[in-house]
Amino acid sequence: MNEEIYEKVIACIEDACEMEFTDITASSRLREDLQMDSLKMIMFQIRLEDEFVFSFNPMEEMADIFFSVESVCKYIENR
């Protein structure tokens, strides 16, 4: 996994949640482990689009992309 992308994804998560996490790992699940609700997920998506200068395709399976930190990083790496 690309370390630069990983760090930026973590920063986007913390910005969307308005808090710092000390225990985020690549396998951290966004909803279950980080307690991201629907509003935080939308804010996270917007933050990612701003940070990485792209837009998510609404036809993509968002639940698969926004499952874990690792799944988000892999999606961005493969764009």
Side-chain angles (χ1 to χ4, degrees):
M1 183 176 353
N2 181 302
E3 188 66 27
E4 182 181 352
I5 290 175
Y6 177 77
E7 294 297 325
K8 287 181 178 181
V9 168
I10 298 299
C12 290
I13 290 170
E14 291 178 336
D15 186 55
C17 293
E18 299 180 334
M19 64 184 298
E20 288 187 28
F21 292 94
T22 58
D23 56 349
I24 292 181
T25 66
S27 62
S28 295
R29 297 169 299 171
L30 302 180
R31 290 192 184 274
E32 293 85 353
D33 300 328
L34 303 179
Q35 303 299 308
M36 293 180 72
D37 61 18
S38 298
L39 180 58
K40 289 177 184 172
M41 294 294 273
I42 291 169
M43 296 305 296
F44 179 45
Q45 178 182 341
I46 292 167
R47 187 71 181 88
L48 288 171
E49 290 177 340
D50 290 345
E51 179 67 39
F52 293 100
V53 192
F54 73 92
S55 294
F56 284 95
N57 179 343
M59 300 305 289
E60 294 173 311
E61 186 57 52
M62 301 304 270
D64 292 338
I65 297 168
F66 288 95
F67 176 72
S68 67
V69 174
E70 181 177 27
S71 64
V72 173
C73 290
K74 284 183 178 179
Y75 175 82
I76 292 169
E77 286 174 9
N78 293 326
R79 286 197 53 77

